[in-house]
């Protein structure tokens, strides 16, 4: 299918220039030569630059250093880093060690953001020793096939980025670059994948090589062509999948440039926020604490876990959360809760043992028979004894400030950080420095398609 | 098993005297003679007096008039009532027509409360034409067997009455006299049934004649010995069953007179109620209206149904009921709700269509895309679109005063009565004249065993 004039216009802006690619390829070749000349490893350029599916302005160059799989893991890390340091220092002073599954080097060379990543050169993608060992296989698979679809991939990546559903990391739970490439390959083009995806439902299953060997129950399953036991889209959440589906439906119905250029979110002023928060009349409570010193892919899932476990804690104490969300800045992180009500009555119903468990039942009755702490009971409800007791936490803010917080399944690093210190903010106080965009989006929450349609109305 | 001195003492007080029985049997014989002499029907004394399982002070005499089953139903009602009137007028002027499944006569004769009930004299209990036709069969079954267990039945009836679990009517959902007789027969005595029931669980099944022909799923199933398709304990609720079980457990563990003499409930003063209600800090709302002009067995199930449907209405609007209960006086009835909170925020989440139903989804988005009535959205949650809208009923009292009440499945007669007029009371205003005992019990709610143990502590 040929591209529309809208799409051709977008492509003109996002295609990398020849100059851009030449510069990156020259640097890559030089780095690979250095690696090979060391005699210790082979070199390989991977990622979207290697496949020419990067967009104009991309500055990420990924160079893998492939070592003999016989090398022990500890030695790989030591020798890999040491080789990377030796090479990088020839080009720049701006070098950082980073850590994903194992350490790698990040260097800024000539304005490009270069990763030097040690890995094992394994025979088959199924016999990898570390997650990064799979990347060279992905690279070879895509490079061999993607040539005719380069523009389609560029459009799809731009489409999912602008729609806010891009990214394989835990923060976005969205569509990674490799996944976009596979989808274009599978359906045979940009229009083709959009037309198909507009009719997807959660539970969609795609297996390009028809070699699946495992059962997956994620909302979207795309079997890795180089590994029949891996779902490439494992991190795509149901909501992100449905947002992608609505974007495809919306674009096919009525396309516009806003599907490719993310509509700017309106950052609210403190005055706006005061008005919105007091207009909703719900209760906003935020916890903030130092962001644990780990990468986003480690911290964000823990923030989400903490959010869920604290929402459960609130629920156990009968506080209903309308919404909850989390955000991570470099220095501080926030767990934000919007509650239906912030204060509950003095009374609460406490459930006891079943009547048909006489030993426990007697113990329960005796405990409360002559207590002057109870409002009513014990009496029988739904087959069990229960008693009406004074509520321990009448205000949600007291509950979230209490040690009960630490009795929940917070993520490990989040727990450590909160144990050091955490602040509890109420109402407009949640409007903490740095979190303005997050809270602005929270208060104006809408689906990607709705955001696009509103942008079209403002500026067609 | 022989009776304890406590039980013998109770029996002494509750056994009917010879004089009492003689007086009732003489009157019964006279009435039966009159019926037979009319040549239109046979006469039969039924009920606990006929079986001598009535207690001292009982004044209820049930006389059945058995007509030929060939008589058409309309004629039975006309001729039955006419015969009853003719006979009753010979004895008294205090006569009322009453209506259960069909009409009968209630007369006060010599201080006794006499029912004259027309029914069909059918061949077998399974070929009855009206519910009352079964009664003569019950009477014959029990009379033939109960002789040796009269004292046991007296004790058990006194035990379930004092425990507050007596009565087959819908109001109490408890244990009827006939059921008590069957249980004593089945287990062979008062101690025997208590020992067995202490170990019952909901789902208990008893079939004296081993002739069941139907599946029942009520909490307690006791197959009628005269009808294999009927559960005698169909109206026993799970809670009443469990209350009976706890009473049995409690009595076996440590008996006292309070198991036979209902501990008086403490009627609160308005001051007490004010203190209790404000101490709980929950929200009390009561609806009162004219009691529909039908018998308790018709009205009470409708009050219960109304209570459930209005609790559901509250729940749909996110108001959580801690408890709800209903009471019926001669003139007015009350539906009483105790809510966790009485006021909710301006915002509410409104759930829309699934994202994967594109026609409805588009319609939903368009409806709210440029609305200035929304707080946020539409956005995707749990696979569906949703939008945050202003709440229609922020106060529970407004909801319960609105026409929404009539859009629910209120009982027919309750609906009629409420359509005429109903009042909504809040907080201490629920303390309406006549409902003092009901609200006192509501606020001091406890299980029968707990009530007994507290009475023992006050007066052993």
């Amino acid at each position: 299918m040929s591209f529309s004039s809208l799409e051709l216009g977008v492509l003109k802006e996002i295609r990398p220039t020849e100059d851009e690619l030449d510069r990156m390829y020259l640097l890559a070749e030089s780095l690979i030569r250095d690696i090979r000349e060391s005699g210790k490893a082979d070199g390989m350029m991977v990622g979207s630059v290697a496949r020419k599916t990067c967009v104009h302005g991309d500055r990420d160059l990924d160079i893998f250093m492939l070592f003999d799989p016989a090398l022990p893991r500890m030695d790989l890390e030591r020798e890999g880093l040491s080789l990377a340091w030796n090479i990088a220092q020839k080009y720049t002073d701006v070098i950082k060690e980073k850590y994903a599954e194992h350490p790698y080097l990040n260097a800024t060379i000539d304005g490009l953001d270069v990763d030097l990543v040690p890995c094992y050169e394994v025979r088959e993608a199924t016999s990898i020793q570390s997650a990064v060992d799979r990347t060279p296989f992905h690279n070879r698979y895509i490079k061999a096939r993607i040539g005719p679809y380069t523009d389609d991939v560029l459009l799809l990546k731009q489409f999912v980025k602008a729609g806010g559903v891009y990214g394989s990391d835990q923060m976005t739970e969205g569509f990674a670059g490799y996944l976009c490439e596979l989808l274009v390959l599978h359906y045979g083009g940009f229009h083709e994948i959009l037309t198909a995806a507009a009719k997807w439902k959660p539970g969609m299953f795609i297996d390009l090589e028809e070699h699946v060997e495992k059962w997956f129950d994620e909302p979207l399953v795309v079997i890795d062509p180089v590994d029949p036991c891996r779902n490439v889209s494992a991190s795509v959440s149901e909501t992100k999948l449905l947002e992608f589906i609505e974007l495809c439906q919306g674009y096919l119905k009525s396309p516009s440039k806003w599907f490719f250029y993310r509509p700017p979110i309106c950052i609210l002023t403190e005055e706006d926020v005061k008005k919105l928060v007091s207009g909703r009349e719900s209760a906003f409570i935020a916890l903030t604490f130092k962001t644990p010193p780990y990468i986003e892919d480690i911290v964000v899932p823990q923030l989400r876990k903490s959010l869920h476990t604290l929402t459960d804690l609130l629920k156990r104490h009968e506080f209903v959360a309308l919404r909850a969300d989390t955000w991570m800045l470099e220095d501080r992180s926030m767990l934000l809760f919007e509650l239906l009500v912030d204060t509950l009555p003095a009374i609460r119903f406490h459930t006891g043992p079943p009547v048909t468990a006489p030993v426990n039942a007697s113990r329960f009755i005796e405990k409360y028979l002559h207590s002057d702490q109870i409002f009513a009971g014990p009496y029988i409800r739904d087959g069990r004894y229960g008693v009406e007791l004074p509520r321990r936490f009448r205000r949600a803010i007291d509950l979230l400030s209490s040690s009960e917080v630490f009795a929940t399944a917070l993520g490990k690093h989040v727990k450590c950080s909160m144990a050091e210190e955490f602040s509890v903010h109420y109402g407009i106080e949640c409007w903490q420095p740095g979190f303005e965009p997050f809270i602005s989006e929270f208060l104006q929450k809408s689906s990607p398609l709705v955001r696009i349609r509103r942008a079209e109305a403002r500026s067609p």
Side-chain angles (χ1 to χ4, degrees), chain A:
Chain A
M1 230 182 273
S2 59
F3 294 122
S4 69
S5 60
L6 166 66
E7 290 154 1
L8 290 171
V10 171
L11 279 171
K12 219 184 236 169
E13 294 193 34
I14 64 173
R15 260 192 220 115
T17 65
E18 285 298 316
D19 274 8
E20 244 180 328
L21 284 179
D22 285 351
R23 236 179 90 219
M24 291 203 273
Y25 273 72
L26 271 173
L27 175 58
E29 276 159 29
S30 169
L31 289 166
I32 290 168
R33 200 163 42 236
D34 290 343
I35 297 167
R36 288 184 181 149
E37 281 173 2
S38 74
K40 292 183 174 164
D42 193 8
M44 184 182 201
M45 171 165 59
V46 300
S48 57
V49 173
R51 306 161 195 170
K52 297 191 178 140
T53 57
C54 56
V55 300
H56 175 58
D58 247 356
R59 324 207 139 268
D60 296 329
L61 191 61
D62 297 327
I63 305 295
F64 271 46
M65 305 183 297
L66 295 81
F67 285 83
D68 186 334
L71 201 67
R73 177 75 177 242
M74 288 291 285
D75 295 344
L76 173 83
E77 296 191 5
R78 215 192 47 234
E79 289 197 22
L81 271 186
S82 142
L83 176 59
W85 272 107
N86 284 341
I87 294 171
Q89 278 169 329
K90 287 169 49 185
Y91 297 82
T92 181
D93 293 333
V94 190
I95 305 173
K96 280 182 295 191
E97 257 178 53
K98 289 202 173 181
Y99 199 96
E101 202 185 335
H102 57 228
Y104 63 96
L105 223 60
N106 174 262
T108 308
I109 304 174
D110 256 356
L112 296 174
D113 193 46
V114 183
D115 283 344
L116 288 163
V117 183
C119 73
Y120 286 116
E121 185 170 28
V122 292
R123 282 267 183 119
E124 287 170 350
T126 47
S127 55
I128 57 165
Q129 299 181 39
S130 148
V132 289
D133 301 345
R134 206 185 277 114
T135 306
F137 292 90
H138 290 167
N139 207 55
R140 280 188 284 265
Y141 186 88
I142 298 295
K143 256 186 99 166
R145 293 161 176 84
I146 206 71
Y149 302 110
T150 310
D151 282 344
D152 298 85
V153 171
L154 289 179
L155 281 175
L156 182 61
K157 282 165 80 170
Q158 192 67 16
F159 180 86
V160 294
K161 269 180 203 166
V165 299
Y166 177 78
S168 68
D169 54 68
Q170 294 292 339
M171 196 74 175
T172 50
E173 301 178 329
F175 289 68
Y178 178 53
L179 177 57
C180 289
E181 291 164 334
L182 291 179
L183 291 174
V184 165
L185 278 182
H186 181 67
Y187 288 105
F190 175 68
H191 290 160
E192 288 76 2
I193 155 72
L194 260 60
T195 308
K199 293 187 178 115
W200 281 359
K201 292 192 186 338
M204 184 63 203
F205 177 86
I206 293 166
D207 184 8
L208 288 89
E209 296 296 319
E210 295 182 353
H211 66 165
V212 66
E213 282 184 10
K214 215 184 116 179
W215 172 255
F216 296 93
D217 61 0
E218 285 101 357
L220 175 63
V221 179
V222 178
I223 301 301
D224 195 338
V226 309
D227 185 348
C229 293
R230 179 170 175 264
N231 175 16
V232 177
S233 50
S235 70
V236 175
S237 68
E238 191 197 53
T239 296
K240 287 287 168 192
L241 171 62
L242 290 168
E243 288 178 347
F244 178 62
I245 294 173
E246 70 152 9
L247 286 167
C248 294
Q249 291 169 354
Y251 185 79
L252 294 174
K253 202 173 172 190
S254 159
S256 78
K257 67 170 180 182
W258 294 111
F259 284 89
F260 298 104
Y261 301 102
R262 188 168 177 73
I265 71 148
C266 163
I267 307 283
L268 302 169
T269 65
E270 187 161 349
E271 273 318 295
D272 294 337
V273 172
K274 267 187 193 156
K275 219 183 287 172
L276 280 172
V277 166
S278 71
R280 294 163 78 95
E281 297 182 41
S282 49
F284 282 83
I285 302 179
L287 308 189
T288 59
F289 42 88
K290 247 179 77 187
T291 297
Y294 297 87
I295 62 163
E296 227 175 68
D297 272 12
I298 304 282
V299 175
V300 170
Q302 291 196 12
L303 289 174
R304 272 194 222 289
K305 195 182 171 199
S306 307
L307 200 67
H308 289 144
T309 196
L310 291 180
T311 305
D312 283 349
L313 175 70
L314 286 162
K315 198 175 169 187
R316 279 201 303 281
H317 288 264
E318 298 184 278
F319 293 102
V320 178
L322 281 164
R323 281 210 256 144
D325 207 350
T326 179
W327 198 250
M328 163 183 165
L329 299 176
E330 186 111 8
D331 54 337
R332 283 190 88 70
S333 293
M334 178 181 278
L335 303 171
L336 179 63
F337 303 91
E338 185 185 10
L339 305 181
L340 205 57
V341 287
D342 58 356
T343 307
L344 291 176
I347 190 175
R348 78 180 173 94
F349 182 78
H350 170 62
T351 302
V355 179
T356 50
V359 177
N360 290 336
S362 293
R363 209 175 290 146
F364 186 82
I365 288 184
E366 259 146 50
K367 178 166 178 192
Y368 293 110
L369 195 58
H370 304 300
S371 162
D372 51 6
Q373 295 297 307
I374 64 173
F375 286 104
Y379 56 79
I380 298 171
R381 170 193 280 186
D382 298 333
R384 289 174 167 269
Y385 281 105
V387 65
E388 295 175 358
L389 295 179
R391 185 179 296 277
R392 190 164 152 220
F393 295 102
R394 296 202 39 221
R395 303 191 321 152
I397 200 165
D398 295 338
L399 174 60
L400 289 178
S401 309
S402 77
S403 61
E404 294 292 304
V405 163
F406 295 101
T408 65
L410 300 170
K412 181 177 151 195
H413 303 310
V414 168
K415 195 172 208 161
C416 276
S417 171
M418 288 183 71
E420 261 177 52
E421 69 65 46
F422 70 98
S423 306
V424 185
H425 315 274
Y426 183 79
I428 185 67
E429 284 173 44
C430 299
W431 187 247
Q432 290 287 309
F435 292 101
E436 295 88 350
F438 165 58
I439 293 181
S440 295
E441 279 226 53
F442 188 96
L443 288 171
Q444 302 173 84
K445 179 167 177 148
S446 52
S447 76
L449 182 61
V450 168
R451 203 154 46 216
I452 287 169
R453 293 298 186 218
R454 287 186 182 142
E456 289 167 7
R458 284 193 302 269
S459 131

